[in-house]
Amino acid sequence: MKAFTYERAASPAEAAAAATRRPGAKFVAGGTNLLDLMKLEIETPVHLIDVNGLGLDKIEPTAEGGLRIGALVRNTDLAADERVRRDYGVLSRALMAGASGQLRNMATTGGNLLQRTRCPYFYDTNQPCNKRVPGSGCGAIDGFNRQHAILGVSEACIATHPSDMAVALRVLDATVETIRADGERRTIPIADFHRLPGDTPHIETVLRPGELITAVTLPPPVGGTQLYHKVRDRSSYAFALVSVAAIVQSDGSGRVALGGVAHKPWRVEAAEAELPHGAAAVAKKLLEGAKPTQENAFKLKLVERTLAAVLAEAKGARL
Amino acid sequence: MSLNGAPPMQPPETHDLSRRDFLVLGTSTVASAAVTSDMPAQEAPAAASTQDAAAPATAKASFQVNGMPCDLELDTRTTLLDALREHLHLTGSKKGCDQGQCGACTVIVNGRRINSCLTLAVMQQGSEVTTIEGLGTPEDMHPLQSAFVKCDGYQCGYCTAGQICSAVAMLDEIKAGIPSHVTEDLTQAPQLTPPELRERMSGNLCRCGAYSNIFDAINEVAGGQA
Ligand SMILES: Cc1cc2nc3c(=O)[nH]c(=O)nc-3n(C[C@H](O)[C@H](O)[C@H](O)COP(=O)(O)OP(=O)(O)OC[C@H]3O[C@@H](n4cnc5c(N)ncnc54)[C@H](O)[C@@H]3O)c2cc1C
Ligand code: SF4
C-alpha cells in the first residue's frame, strides 16, 4: 500500500474543500472497497479524508413523503430500517443479497454506489485495463469474460457495476445529493449518476473531483410487490451474474431494472409497458442492442428466465 | 510503536524462526518464481506512478480493546487487524485473505461484527473492540467457545476465532430484528431457522469444510430451535 496522510473531516463542506485542495485525496467511508484496492495499489490516494462522524448517518422522512438516507448510513441499518422494509422492500432485499453480514455492517450508502468493478483484469495489475490505466487496452474483451456486461458496452471496456443496492435505487427512482468545495449542492437522478464506459471507462460517475455524496433520497412509496432476484454462482456471498429488481402492481403494471449486465443499473422504461405481456416481451425490449461475448451470451436467456421467476412470484403474492 | 496503558497481552514470539516467518519465506519464494516467468508486468508501475510516492505518515489512534484502553501511534496504513496482531499481540484474530472475503479477521466493534482487515486502525478512534481473547479465556469460556469445542466446530482452527466472533454478533443481529437474504416476510421479526443461521454465517469461510459442526455449535447456543 502506498503511504498517505489521514484526516477526519469536521463537516461535509470541509470534507469537500479538503478533497479539492489536495490532488490525489480520497474520501474513506466504510473502507471495504477502497482499502482492498489500496492494498493492491490500484487506488493510490496520497491523502484520506475520513467522512465517518459527519452526522450523515441518519434516515429521515422528507417533506414529500419519501426518505432521505444519509450517505454514511450502513447497508445493514438501511436494510433493517422499518420504513424501508415496509415501503421500499426491493431496497432492503437488494442490500441483503449483497456481500456478508460483516461487510454490510461497514459498507455505506455512498460508498456502495461508488464501489468499483469486480472485473478480474481490473484487479490484476499485470494485465492491461483501460479502467485502471487509461489507454492500456482491455484484457477482458478477448479474455475470460463470462461475468462481464452485455449491454451498453464499448470497445474500451465491458465491465459491470457490481452493486446490488444501486439496481434497487434505480427502480425506485432515487436521487443522489452532493456538496462541492464551494458549498454548492446538487441533486442527481440515479439514472444519470453512473456513466456508460464509452472511451473513458475510468470515469464512472458524473461526480466532479472533490464532490461529496451527502444523501440518497427516495420518492414517496409506490407500493406494489417489491422483489429482488439475484442469480450467482453460489447461493450466498457472491456477485450477481444477473439480478432483477422489480416493483409489480396489482394490475400487472410495474417497473424492472437489471444488475450484472452493464456498467450501470439497466432500466428501459419502454420495456415496462410490456409487463402485462410477460417476461419474454419485457426481456426483448430490455435487451435491445445487447452485445454479448461468446462466454456471456448465456446472460440473455438468464435475464428472461430471472424475469419470468420474478413475475411469477409477484403474481403468486397477489393471489 | 508505543503502546501506552496496556501491556502486551502475550509476549511477542521469540524463537528464531517462527512459523509465521517460515510462511513468509515460503510465499516470497513462490512470488519470486512467479516474477521470473515471462508475465507482462508493464502495467503495474504505470498504475502506481500516477501519484508521487509519499513518505510514510503516522497518526494517533486511541480505542479500547477487550476493555483496555490502547493509545497507539501508527503508520496510517495499519489495518485494525494488523494493529491487533502486530502491535497489541492479540494473535487470535487471523489474517486469511486480507480482502474481506474469508472472515477469519472478524472482530466485534461497538457491538457489531466487522472484517478487521478492511478498516484502518486510525479510523477506529474511540471504538470498543472485542476480539476472541475478550470473549472468554481457557478457564472461563464464552458459551460459543465451549460449544465449538463440544461440537468439534473446526479442523485446522484457522477460521475459528472469526467464526465465533461472527456468530456472537450474528445472534445479536437476529435478536435486534435485522432481516437477512432468506427472511421471507420483511415486516416480521426474523426466526432462528437453519437457513437463517447458514445465510448469516456466509461471510465466514472454512477451508476444512467443518460447516456442519460449526452450525451445530451455533445452533446449540442459539437455543437449538433451528
Ligand atoms: C468480499 C466482498 C464481497 C462483496 N459482495 C458484494 C455484493 O455481492 N454486492 C454488492 O453490491 N457489493 C458487494 N461488495 C461491495 C461492498 O458493497 C462495497 O465494498 C461497499 O458497499 C463500499 O462501501 P464503503 O462505505 O465501504 O466504501 P469505501 O470503500 O469507503 O469507498 C468506496 C469509494 O467511494 C468513495 N466514497 C465513499 N463515500 C463517499 C461519499 N460520501 N461521497 C463521495 N465519495 C465517497 C471513496 O472515496 C471510494 O472511492 C462486496 C465487497 C467485498 C469485499
Ligand atoms: S472490461 Fe473494463 S475493467 Fe475489465 S479489463 Fe476491460 S477495461 Fe478493464
PDB file of all heavy atoms in Angstrom, chain A residues 3-39:
ATOM      1  N   ALA A   3       1.942   5.040   0.892  1.00  0.00           N
ATOM      2  CA  ALA A   3       1.736   5.847   2.097  1.00  0.00           C
ATOM      3  C   ALA A   3       0.757   6.988   1.807  1.00  0.00           C
ATOM      4  O   ALA A   3       0.656   7.464   0.670  1.00  0.00           O
ATOM      5  CB  ALA A   3       3.061   6.413   2.574  1.00  0.00           C
ATOM      6  N   PHE A   4       0.058   7.401   2.847  1.00  0.00           N
ATOM      7  CA  PHE A   4      -0.882   8.514   2.700  1.00  0.00           C
ATOM      8  C   PHE A   4      -1.029   9.212   4.042  1.00  0.00           C
ATOM      9  O   PHE A   4      -0.778   8.609   5.093  1.00  0.00           O
ATOM     10  CB  PHE A   4      -2.257   8.011   2.224  1.00  0.00           C
ATOM     11  CG  PHE A   4      -2.850   6.953   3.123  1.00  0.00           C
ATOM     12  CD1 PHE A   4      -3.610   7.293   4.241  1.00  0.00           C
ATOM     13  CD2 PHE A   4      -2.611   5.600   2.879  1.00  0.00           C
ATOM     14  CE1 PHE A   4      -4.125   6.329   5.082  1.00  0.00           C
ATOM     15  CE2 PHE A   4      -3.119   4.620   3.728  1.00  0.00           C
ATOM     16  CZ  PHE A   4      -3.880   4.990   4.830  1.00  0.00           C
ATOM     17  N   THR A   5      -1.418  10.467   3.996  1.00  0.00           N
ATOM     18  CA  THR A   5      -1.760  11.172   5.219  1.00  0.00           C
ATOM     19  C   THR A   5      -3.256  11.030   5.448  1.00  0.00           C
ATOM     20  O   THR A   5      -4.003  10.645   4.543  1.00  0.00           O
ATOM     21  CB  THR A   5      -1.355  12.646   5.129  1.00  0.00           C
ATOM     22  OG1 THR A   5      -1.823  13.167   3.882  1.00  0.00           O
ATOM     23  CG2 THR A   5       0.162  12.802   5.189  1.00  0.00           C
ATOM     24  N   TYR A   6      -3.679  11.328   6.662  1.00  0.00           N
ATOM     25  CA  TYR A   6      -5.057  10.998   7.069  1.00  0.00           C
ATOM     26  C   TYR A   6      -5.650  12.144   7.871  1.00  0.00           C
ATOM     27  O   TYR A   6      -4.972  12.728   8.709  1.00  0.00           O
ATOM     28  CB  TYR A   6      -5.009   9.730   7.926  1.00  0.00           C
ATOM     29  CG  TYR A   6      -6.297   9.389   8.636  1.00  0.00           C
ATOM     30  CD1 TYR A   6      -7.287   8.648   7.997  1.00  0.00           C
ATOM     31  CD2 TYR A   6      -6.516   9.811   9.951  1.00  0.00           C
ATOM     32  CE1 TYR A   6      -8.472   8.332   8.650  1.00  0.00           C
ATOM     33  CE2 TYR A   6      -7.700   9.492  10.613  1.00  0.00           C
ATOM     34  CZ  TYR A   6      -8.668   8.747   9.956  1.00  0.00           C
ATOM     35  OH  TYR A   6      -9.834   8.442  10.606  1.00  0.00           O
ATOM     36  N   GLU A   7      -6.886  12.482   7.594  1.00  0.00           N
ATOM     37  CA  GLU A   7      -7.573  13.458   8.437  1.00  0.00           C
ATOM     38  C   GLU A   7      -9.024  13.081   8.620  1.00  0.00           C
ATOM     39  O   GLU A   7      -9.616  12.400   7.778  1.00  0.00           O
ATOM     40  CB  GLU A   7      -7.478  14.868   7.838  1.00  0.00           C
ATOM     41  CG  GLU A   7      -8.421  15.129   6.669  1.00  0.00           C
ATOM     42  CD  GLU A   7      -8.397  16.585   6.182  1.00  0.00           C
ATOM     43  OE1 GLU A   7      -9.084  17.431   6.805  1.00  0.00           O
ATOM     44  OE2 GLU A   7      -7.703  16.840   5.182  1.00  0.00           O
ATOM     45  N   ARG A   8      -9.592  13.516   9.751  1.00  0.00           N
ATOM     46  CA  ARG A   8     -11.024  13.370   9.973  1.00  0.00           C
ATOM     47  C   ARG A   8     -11.671  14.695   9.644  1.00  0.00           C
ATOM     48  O   ARG A   8     -11.315  15.716  10.227  1.00  0.00           O
ATOM     49  CB  ARG A   8     -11.317  13.000  11.436  1.00  0.00           C
ATOM     50  CG  ARG A   8     -10.911  11.591  11.759  1.00  0.00           C
ATOM     51  CD  ARG A   8     -11.180  11.208  13.209  1.00  0.00           C
ATOM     52  NE  ARG A   8     -10.322  10.068  13.517  1.00  0.00           N
ATOM     53  CZ  ARG A   8      -9.171  10.153  14.174  1.00  0.00           C
ATOM     54  NH1 ARG A   8      -8.760  11.289  14.668  1.00  0.00           N
ATOM     55  NH2 ARG A   8      -8.444   9.066  14.365  1.00  0.00           N
ATOM     56  N   ALA A   9     -12.596  14.670   8.715  1.00  0.00           N
ATOM     57  CA  ALA A   9     -13.250  15.912   8.312  1.00  0.00           C
ATOM     58  C   ALA A   9     -14.176  16.387   9.427  1.00  0.00           C
ATOM     59  O   ALA A   9     -14.669  15.597  10.228  1.00  0.00           O
ATOM     60  CB  ALA A   9     -14.030  15.690   7.030  1.00  0.00           C
ATOM     61  N   ALA A  10     -14.390  17.712   9.470  1.00  0.00           N
ATOM     62  CA  ALA A  10     -15.225  18.287  10.522  1.00  0.00           C
ATOM     63  C   ALA A  10     -16.647  18.552  10.044  1.00  0.00           C
ATOM     64  O   ALA A  10     -17.581  18.612  10.841  1.00  0.00           O
ATOM     65  CB  ALA A  10     -14.596  19.582  11.045  1.00  0.00           C
ATOM     66  N   SER A  11     -16.842  18.722   8.753  1.00  0.00           N
ATOM     67  CA  SER A  11     -18.189  18.941   8.219  1.00  0.00           C
ATOM     68  C   SER A  11     -18.183  18.505   6.755  1.00  0.00           C
ATOM     69  O   SER A  11     -17.107  18.408   6.140  1.00  0.00           O
ATOM     70  CB  SER A  11     -18.574  20.420   8.312  1.00  0.00           C
ATOM     71  OG  SER A  11     -17.833  21.173   7.350  1.00  0.00           O
ATOM     72  N   PRO A  12     -19.368  18.255   6.173  1.00  0.00           N
ATOM     73  CA  PRO A  12     -19.402  17.853   4.765  1.00  0.00           C
ATOM     74  C   PRO A  12     -18.721  18.886   3.856  1.00  0.00           C
ATOM     75  O   PRO A  12     -17.925  18.507   2.977  1.00  0.00           O
ATOM     76  CB  PRO A  12     -20.902  17.755   4.463  1.00  0.00           C
ATOM     77  CG  PRO A  12     -21.519  17.423   5.789  1.00  0.00           C
ATOM     78  CD  PRO A  12     -20.698  18.149   6.813  1.00  0.00           C
ATOM     79  N   ALA A  13     -18.978  20.174   4.086  1.00  0.00           N
ATOM     80  CA  ALA A  13     -18.374  21.202   3.229  1.00  0.00           C
ATOM     81  C   ALA A  13     -16.855  21.193   3.373  1.00  0.00           C
ATOM     82  O   ALA A  13     -16.122  21.319   2.386  1.00  0.00           O
ATOM     83  CB  ALA A  13     -18.940  22.579   3.591  1.00  0.00           C
ATOM     84  N   GLU A  14     -16.379  21.016   4.620  1.00  0.00           N
ATOM     85  CA  GLU A  14     -14.921  20.986   4.823  1.00  0.00           C
ATOM     86  C   GLU A  14     -14.294  19.745   4.204  1.00  0.00           C
ATOM     87  O   GLU A  14     -13.161  19.799   3.708  1.00  0.00           O
ATOM     88  CB  GLU A  14     -14.582  21.048   6.314  1.00  0.00           C
ATOM     89  CG  GLU A  14     -14.609  22.468   6.832  1.00  0.00           C
ATOM     90  CD  GLU A  14     -14.329  22.513   8.323  1.00  0.00           C
ATOM     91  OE1 GLU A  14     -13.426  21.792   8.783  1.00  0.00           O
ATOM     92  OE2 GLU A  14     -15.041  23.266   9.010  1.00  0.00           O
ATOM     93  N   ALA A  15     -15.035  18.641   4.227  1.00  0.00           N
ATOM     94  CA  ALA A  15     -14.514  17.422   3.586  1.00  0.00           C
ATOM     95  C   ALA A  15     -14.340  17.675   2.089  1.00  0.00           C
ATOM     96  O   ALA A  15     -13.298  17.339   1.509  1.00  0.00           O
ATOM     97  CB  ALA A  15     -15.472  16.252   3.827  1.00  0.00           C
ATOM     98  N   ALA A  16     -15.344  18.275   1.478  1.00  0.00           N
ATOM     99  CA  ALA A  16     -15.269  18.556   0.039  1.00  0.00           C
ATOM    100  C   ALA A  16     -14.135  19.544  -0.245  1.00  0.00           C
ATOM    101  O   ALA A  16     -13.388  19.386  -1.220  1.00  0.00           O
ATOM    102  CB  ALA A  16     -16.607  19.100  -0.454  1.00  0.00           C
ATOM    103  N   ALA A  17     -13.982  20.542   0.626  1.00  0.00           N
ATOM    104  CA  ALA A  17     -12.918  21.530   0.434  1.00  0.00           C
ATOM    105  C   ALA A  17     -11.545  20.858   0.554  1.00  0.00           C
ATOM    106  O   ALA A  17     -10.642  21.100  -0.260  1.00  0.00           O
ATOM    107  CB  ALA A  17     -13.058  22.659   1.450  1.00  0.00           C
ATOM    108  N   ALA A  18     -11.411  19.996   1.554  1.00  0.00           N
ATOM    109  CA  ALA A  18     -10.122  19.313   1.757  1.00  0.00           C
ATOM    110  C   ALA A  18      -9.782  18.442   0.557  1.00  0.00           C
ATOM    111  O   ALA A  18      -8.628  18.367   0.127  1.00  0.00           O
ATOM    112  CB  ALA A  18     -10.176  18.474   3.036  1.00  0.00           C
ATOM    113  N   ALA A  19     -10.787  17.776  -0.002  1.00  0.00           N
ATOM    114  CA  ALA A  19     -10.549  16.890  -1.143  1.00  0.00           C
ATOM    115  C   ALA A  19     -10.165  17.689  -2.385  1.00  0.00           C
ATOM    116  O   ALA A  19      -9.398  17.222  -3.223  1.00  0.00           O
ATOM    117  CB  ALA A  19     -11.796  16.061  -1.430  1.00  0.00           C
ATOM    118  N   THR A  20     -10.686  18.876  -2.492  1.00  0.00           N
ATOM    119  CA  THR A  20     -10.378  19.711  -3.654  1.00  0.00           C
ATOM    120  C   THR A  20      -8.987  20.334  -3.519  1.00  0.00           C
ATOM    121  O   THR A  20      -8.266  20.494  -4.491  1.00  0.00           O
ATOM    122  CB  THR A  20     -11.455  20.806  -3.790  1.00  0.00           C
ATOM    123  OG1 THR A  20     -12.741  20.166  -3.690  1.00  0.00           O
ATOM    124  CG2 THR A  20     -11.366  21.522  -5.120  1.00  0.00           C
ATOM    125  N   ARG A  21      -8.624  20.690  -2.277  1.00  0.00           N
ATOM    126  CA  ARG A  21      -7.304  21.275  -2.017  1.00  0.00           C
ATOM    127  C   ARG A  21      -6.173  20.320  -2.327  1.00  0.00           C
ATOM    128  O   ARG A  21      -5.130  20.723  -2.805  1.00  0.00           O
ATOM    129  CB  ARG A  21      -7.213  21.635  -0.519  1.00  0.00           C
ATOM    130  CG  ARG A  21      -7.311  23.102  -0.218  1.00  0.00           C
ATOM    131  CD  ARG A  21      -6.912  23.451   1.213  1.00  0.00           C
ATOM    132  NE  ARG A  21      -7.227  22.490   2.250  1.00  0.00           N
ATOM    133  CZ  ARG A  21      -8.344  22.498   2.976  1.00  0.00           C
ATOM    134  NH1 ARG A  21      -9.267  23.412   2.768  1.00  0.00           N
ATOM    135  NH2 ARG A  21      -8.539  21.610   3.924  1.00  0.00           N
ATOM    136  N   ARG A  22      -6.369  19.037  -2.032  1.00  0.00           N
ATOM    137  CA  ARG A  22      -5.272  18.060  -2.160  1.00  0.00           C
ATOM    138  C   ARG A  22      -5.497  17.155  -3.363  1.00  0.00           C
ATOM    139  O   ARG A  22      -6.263  16.203  -3.280  1.00  0.00           O
ATOM    140  CB  ARG A  22      -5.211  17.185  -0.897  1.00  0.00           C
ATOM    141  CG  ARG A  22      -4.602  17.830   0.316  1.00  0.00           C
ATOM    142  CD  ARG A  22      -3.095  17.975   0.232  1.00  0.00           C
ATOM    143  NE  ARG A  22      -2.336  16.728   0.179  1.00  0.00           N
ATOM    144  CZ  ARG A  22      -1.969  16.040   1.242  1.00  0.00           C
ATOM    145  NH1 ARG A  22      -2.297  16.411   2.452  1.00  0.00           N
ATOM    146  NH2 ARG A  22      -1.239  14.936   1.099  1.00  0.00           N
ATOM    147  N   PRO A  23      -4.838  17.425  -4.483  1.00  0.00           N
ATOM    148  CA  PRO A  23      -4.983  16.490  -5.609  1.00  0.00           C
ATOM    149  C   PRO A  23      -4.535  15.101  -5.159  1.00  0.00           C
ATOM    150  O   PRO A  23      -3.558  14.982  -4.418  1.00  0.00           O
ATOM    151  CB  PRO A  23      -4.042  17.059  -6.679  1.00  0.00           C
ATOM    152  CG  PRO A  23      -3.715  18.454  -6.244  1.00  0.00           C
ATOM    153  CD  PRO A  23      -3.869  18.497  -4.761  1.00  0.00           C
ATOM    154  N   GLY A  24      -5.263  14.094  -5.584  1.00  0.00           N
ATOM    155  CA  GLY A  24      -4.901  12.730  -5.159  1.00  0.00           C
ATOM    156  C   GLY A  24      -5.510  12.343  -3.825  1.00  0.00           C
ATOM    157  O   GLY A  24      -5.228  11.268  -3.313  1.00  0.00           O
ATOM    158  N   ALA A  25      -6.355  13.218  -3.238  1.00  0.00           N
ATOM    159  CA  ALA A  25      -7.027  12.866  -1.982  1.00  0.00           C
ATOM    160  C   ALA A  25      -8.284  12.058  -2.297  1.00  0.00           C
ATOM    161  O   ALA A  25      -8.836  12.158  -3.386  1.00  0.00           O
ATOM    162  CB  ALA A  25      -7.403  14.133  -1.217  1.00  0.00           C
ATOM    163  N   LYS A  26      -8.704  11.253  -1.326  1.00  0.00           N
ATOM    164  CA  LYS A  26      -9.940  10.491  -1.476  1.00  0.00           C
ATOM    165  C   LYS A  26     -10.677  10.462  -0.154  1.00  0.00           C
ATOM    166  O   LYS A  26     -10.069  10.497   0.907  1.00  0.00           O
ATOM    167  CB  LYS A  26      -9.637   9.047  -1.900  1.00  0.00           C
ATOM    168  CG  LYS A  26      -9.569   8.866  -3.402  1.00  0.00           C
ATOM    169  CD  LYS A  26      -9.775   7.409  -3.791  1.00  0.00           C
ATOM    170  CE  LYS A  26     -10.198   7.271  -5.240  1.00  0.00           C
ATOM    171  NZ  LYS A  26     -11.596   7.455  -5.510  1.00  0.00           N
ATOM    172  N   PHE A  27     -12.023  10.341  -0.252  1.00  0.00           N
ATOM    173  CA  PHE A  27     -12.818  10.117   0.947  1.00  0.00           C
ATOM    174  C   PHE A  27     -12.734   8.638   1.308  1.00  0.00           C
ATOM    175  O   PHE A  27     -12.639   7.790   0.433  1.00  0.00           O
ATOM    176  CB  PHE A  27     -14.288  10.443   0.693  1.00  0.00           C
ATOM    177  CG  PHE A  27     -14.528  11.846   0.206  1.00  0.00           C
ATOM    178  CD1 PHE A  27     -15.133  12.074  -1.021  1.00  0.00           C
ATOM    179  CD2 PHE A  27     -14.142  12.937   0.982  1.00  0.00           C
ATOM    180  CE1 PHE A  27     -15.358  13.366  -1.475  1.00  0.00           C
ATOM    181  CE2 PHE A  27     -14.369  14.236   0.534  1.00  0.00           C
ATOM    182  CZ  PHE A  27     -14.973  14.445  -0.703  1.00  0.00           C
ATOM    183  N   VAL A  28     -12.810   8.353   2.597  1.00  0.00           N
ATOM    184  CA  VAL A  28     -12.992   6.962   3.010  1.00  0.00           C
ATOM    185  C   VAL A  28     -14.217   6.895   3.912  1.00  0.00           C
ATOM    186  O   VAL A  28     -14.393   7.719   4.800  1.00  0.00           O
ATOM    187  CB  VAL A  28     -11.725   6.362   3.679  1.00  0.00           C
ATOM    188  CG1 VAL A  28     -11.352   7.080   4.978  1.00  0.00           C
ATOM    189  CG2 VAL A  28     -11.899   4.871   3.918  1.00  0.00           C
ATOM    190  N   ALA A  29     -15.090   5.899   3.625  1.00  0.00           N
ATOM    191  CA  ALA A  29     -16.318   5.736   4.413  1.00  0.00           C
ATOM    192  C   ALA A  29     -16.213   4.407   5.161  1.00  0.00           C
ATOM    193  O   ALA A  29     -15.556   4.328   6.190  1.00  0.00           O
ATOM    194  CB  ALA A  29     -17.525   5.804   3.496  1.00  0.00           C
ATOM    195  N   GLY A  30     -16.794   3.332   4.635  1.00  0.00           N
ATOM    196  CA  GLY A  30     -16.628   2.022   5.264  1.00  0.00           C
ATOM    197  C   GLY A  30     -15.229   1.472   5.029  1.00  0.00           C
ATOM    198  O   GLY A  30     -14.713   0.689   5.810  1.00  0.00           O
ATOM    199  N   GLY A  31     -14.644   1.849   3.908  1.00  0.00           N
ATOM    200  CA  GLY A  31     -13.304   1.389   3.551  1.00  0.00           C
ATOM    201  C   GLY A  31     -13.275   0.023   2.884  1.00  0.00           C
ATOM    202  O   GLY A  31     -12.213  -0.449   2.471  1.00  0.00           O
ATOM    203  N   THR A  32     -14.426  -0.621   2.747  1.00  0.00           N
ATOM    204  CA  THR A  32     -14.425  -2.027   2.302  1.00  0.00           C
ATOM    205  C   THR A  32     -14.032  -2.202   0.842  1.00  0.00           C
ATOM    206  O   THR A  32     -13.573  -3.260   0.452  1.00  0.00           O
ATOM    207  CB  THR A  32     -15.793  -2.702   2.522  1.00  0.00           C
ATOM    208  OG1 THR A  32     -16.785  -1.988   1.771  1.00  0.00           O
ATOM    209  CG2 THR A  32     -16.171  -2.726   3.985  1.00  0.00           C
ATOM    210  N   ASN A  33     -14.217  -1.194   0.030  1.00  0.00           N
ATOM    211  CA  ASN A  33     -13.747  -1.291  -1.354  1.00  0.00           C
ATOM    212  C   ASN A  33     -12.426  -0.553  -1.524  1.00  0.00           C
ATOM    213  O   ASN A  33     -11.481  -1.055  -2.121  1.00  0.00           O
ATOM    214  CB  ASN A  33     -14.820  -0.745  -2.310  1.00  0.00           C
ATOM    215  CG  ASN A  33     -14.491  -1.062  -3.764  1.00  0.00           C
ATOM    216  OD1 ASN A  33     -14.554  -0.192  -4.618  1.00  0.00           O
ATOM    217  ND2 ASN A  33     -14.121  -2.290  -4.055  1.00  0.00           N
ATOM    218  N   LEU A  34     -12.354   0.634  -0.940  1.00  0.00           N
ATOM    219  CA  LEU A  34     -11.157   1.456  -1.125  1.00  0.00           C
ATOM    220  C   LEU A  34      -9.902   0.785  -0.563  1.00  0.00           C
ATOM    221  O   LEU A  34      -8.859   0.738  -1.216  1.00  0.00           O
ATOM    222  CB  LEU A  34     -11.376   2.828  -0.479  1.00  0.00           C
ATOM    223  CG  LEU A  34     -10.256   3.840  -0.700  1.00  0.00           C
ATOM    224  CD1 LEU A  34     -10.022   4.071  -2.185  1.00  0.00           C
ATOM    225  CD2 LEU A  34     -10.556   5.155  -0.009  1.00  0.00           C
ATOM    226  N   LEU A  35      -9.991   0.244   0.662  1.00  0.00           N
ATOM    227  CA  LEU A  35      -8.786  -0.352   1.261  1.00  0.00           C
ATOM    228  C   LEU A  35      -8.337  -1.589   0.497  1.00  0.00           C
ATOM    229  O   LEU A  35      -7.138  -1.819   0.320  1.00  0.00           O
ATOM    230  CB  LEU A  35      -9.035  -0.686   2.733  1.00  0.00           C
ATOM    231  CG  LEU A  35      -8.966   0.532   3.635  1.00  0.00           C
ATOM    232  CD1 LEU A  35      -9.386   0.176   5.040  1.00  0.00           C
ATOM    233  CD2 LEU A  35      -7.560   1.084   3.648  1.00  0.00           C
ATOM    234  N   ASP A  36      -9.294  -2.363   0.038  1.00  0.00           N
ATOM    235  CA  ASP A  36      -8.978  -3.534  -0.773  1.00  0.00           C
ATOM    236  C   ASP A  36      -8.156  -3.088  -1.989  1.00  0.00           C
ATOM    237  O   ASP A  36      -7.100  -3.656  -2.291  1.00  0.00           O
ATOM    238  CB  ASP A  36     -10.310  -4.168  -1.204  1.00  0.00           C
ATOM    239  CG  ASP A  36     -10.152  -5.538  -1.842  1.00  0.00           C
ATOM    240  OD1 ASP A  36      -9.069  -6.125  -1.718  1.00  0.00           O
ATOM    241  OD2 ASP A  36     -11.119  -6.011  -2.469  1.00  0.00           O
ATOM    242  N   LEU A  37      -8.620  -2.049  -2.661  1.00  0.00           N
ATOM    243  CA  LEU A  37      -7.942  -1.582  -3.880  1.00  0.00           C
ATOM    244  C   LEU A  37      -6.627  -0.875  -3.554  1.00  0.00           C
ATOM    245  O   LEU A  37      -5.701  -0.877  -4.363  1.00  0.00           O
ATOM    246  CB  LEU A  37      -8.877  -0.666  -4.674  1.00  0.00           C
ATOM    247  CG  LEU A  37     -10.115  -1.381  -5.240  1.00  0.00           C
ATOM    248  CD1 LEU A  37     -11.116  -0.378  -5.796  1.00  0.00           C
ATOM    249  CD2 LEU A  37      -9.715  -2.383  -6.315  1.00  0.00           C
ATOM    250  N   MET A  38      -6.538  -0.271  -2.388  1.00  0.00           N
ATOM    251  CA  MET A  38      -5.278   0.373  -1.990  1.00  0.00           C
ATOM    252  C   MET A  38      -4.194  -0.661  -1.703  1.00  0.00           C
ATOM    253  O   MET A  38      -3.022  -0.455  -2.003  1.00  0.00           O
ATOM    254  CB  MET A  38      -5.501   1.272  -0.769  1.00  0.00           C
ATOM    255  CG  MET A  38      -6.190   2.591  -1.127  1.00  0.00           C
ATOM    256  SD  MET A  38      -6.771   3.489   0.329  1.00  0.00           S
ATOM    257  CE  MET A  38      -5.223   3.895   1.128  1.00  0.00           C
ATOM    258  N   LYS A  39      -4.593  -1.784  -1.117  1.00  0.00           N
ATOM    259  CA  LYS A  39      -3.606  -2.835  -0.840  1.00  0.00           C
ATOM    260  C   LYS A  39      -2.987  -3.330  -2.133  1.00  0.00           C
ATOM    261  O   LYS A  39      -1.816  -3.700  -2.172  1.00  0.00           O
ATOM    262  CB  LYS A  39      -4.274  -4.003  -0.102  1.00  0.00           C
ATOM    263  CG  LYS A  39      -4.653  -3.670   1.320  1.00  0.00           C
ATOM    264  CD  LYS A  39      -5.328  -4.852   2.005  1.00  0.00           C
ATOM    265  CE  LYS A  39      -5.827  -4.421   3.371  1.00  0.00           C
ATOM    266  NZ  LYS A  39      -6.425  -5.534   4.119  1.00  0.00           N
TER     267      LYS A  39
END
